[in-house]
Amino acid sequence: MTFHYPNGKKFIPAANKEALLKGKKRKNAAYSNRGMTLEADLNETNSFYLDRNIAVIHKKPTPLQIVQVDYPQRSAAVIKEAYFKQASTTDYNGVYKGKYIDFEAKETKFSTSFPLKNFHEHQIVHMKSVLDQGGICFVILRFSTEEEIYLLEASHLLAFWDRMTKGGRKSITKAEVVNYGHKIPLGLHPRIDYIKVIDYLYKLS
């Protein structure tokens, strides 16, 4: 079955991307999984939390628009081609110690700034709504070249977005991410332990 992004670009499964990385040498054990997507790392982290009854966080399924279906049998249908629809909210949500958790995950190859075009206006509106209801909302940003990951609270993202809409810069500088965000060391189990940052920020531990 063939999948396409909303812009028509063909979707390549993460497993295929990983195969392209085979044979490349890793510098050390800490980076044994370097090259994995941010999504794969977060899914592994969330599975770790779930298995140990720490938190229940899931990635929301991406809605699909089916464009081609074959019917080899009267009682069976086979989807041959589909397009990913643009999600209307954020990537992940769930619950931790009675608190609603909602966040978006993005990565960039830029090393000095994080482009705000990586976010969509409807996601900004959604995050504001979550904050208005007292939920815990944030974004996880990955600078892939340096393999650095930060948790940035949604309130700061909304401020940077507001700055852009008023004619300001169209990105968040790396210095601003470092100043307002919280660096998450890349580990093994779990890979991206963002719960520790939530405990620190909201005194939930």
Side-chain angles (χ1 to χ4, degrees), residues 86 88 116 119-127 161 165:
Q86 183 171 284
S88 60
L116 285 165
F119 299 94
H120 302 286
E121 186 174 1
H122 61 78
Q123 292 176 324
I124 299 297
V125 172
H126 170 75
M127 284 187 267
W161 184 272
T165 61

Side-chain angles (χ1 to χ4, degrees), residues 43-107:
N43 289 344
E44 185 176 310
T45 299
N46 290 335
S47 293
F48 177 91
Y49 291 154
L50 185 64
D51 291 343
R52 288 157 181 78
N53 200 31
I54 295 172
V56 180
I57 311 289
H58 293 291
K59 186 179 188 302
K60 302 172 189 173
T62 304
L64 293 174
Q65 178 181 356
I66 299 171
V67 296
Q68 182 181 348
V69 182
D70 283 354
Y71 295 91
Q73 301 176 16
R74 293 180 63 89
S75 60
V78 178
I79 299 173
K80 303 295 288 185
E81 186 174 3
Y83 284 78
F84 289 113
K85 290 184 178 180
Q86 183 171 284
S88 60
T89 57
T90 49
D91 286 339
Y92 297 88
N93 70 345
V95 62
Y96 172 59
K97 292 187 177 178
K99 293 288 187 178
Y100 175 74
I101 306 292
D102 194 295
F103 68 94
E104 179 71 13
K106 300 287 187 183
E107 51 190 323

Side-chain angles (χ1 to χ4, degrees), residues 54-55 95-101 134-136 138 194-205:
I54 295 172
V95 62
Y96 172 59
K97 292 187 177 178
K99 293 288 187 178
Y100 175 74
I101 306 292
I136 294 175
F138 53 91
Y194 61 87
I195 286 294
K196 282 187 178 179
V197 180
I198 293 175
D199 282 337
Y200 168 76
L201 290 172
Y202 299 94
K203 313 302 180 187
L204 298 181
S205 60

Side-chain angles (χ1 to χ4, degrees), residues 69-176:
V69 182
D70 283 354
Y71 295 91
Q73 301 176 16
R74 293 180 63 89
S75 60
V78 178
I79 299 173
K80 303 295 288 185
E81 186 174 3
Y83 284 78
F84 289 113
K85 290 184 178 180
Q86 183 171 284
S88 60
T89 57
T90 49
D91 286 339
Y92 297 88
N93 70 345
V95 62
Y96 172 59
K97 292 187 177 178
K99 293 288 187 178
Y100 175 74
I101 306 292
D102 194 295
F103 68 94
E104 179 71 13
K106 300 287 187 183
E107 51 190 323
T108 184
K109 292 181 179 179
F110 292 111
S111 59
T112 59
S113 65
F114 206 100
L116 285 165
K117 68 178 182 180
N118 286 1
F119 299 94
H120 302 286
E121 186 174 1
H122 61 78
Q123 292 176 324
I124 299 297
V125 172
H126 170 75
M127 284 187 267
K128 184 179 184 305
S129 296
V130 172
L131 292 181
D132 288 345
Q133 293 297 322
I136 294 175
C137 190
F138 53 91
V139 292
I140 290 181
L141 308 177
R142 176 181 181 234
F143 291 88
S144 58
T145 303
E146 294 81 8
E147 199 66 37
E148 292 182 1
I149 300 170
Y150 293 85
L151 184 151
L152 182 70
E153 293 171 272
S155 57
H156 296 305
L157 176 64
L158 296 179
F160 293 130
W161 184 272
D162 186 57
R163 178 178 69 184
M164 179 186 69
T165 61
K166 292 179 179 177
R169 63 178 299 128
K170 297 180 180 179
S171 65
I172 310 170
T173 67
K174 176 68 175 296
E176 289 172 329

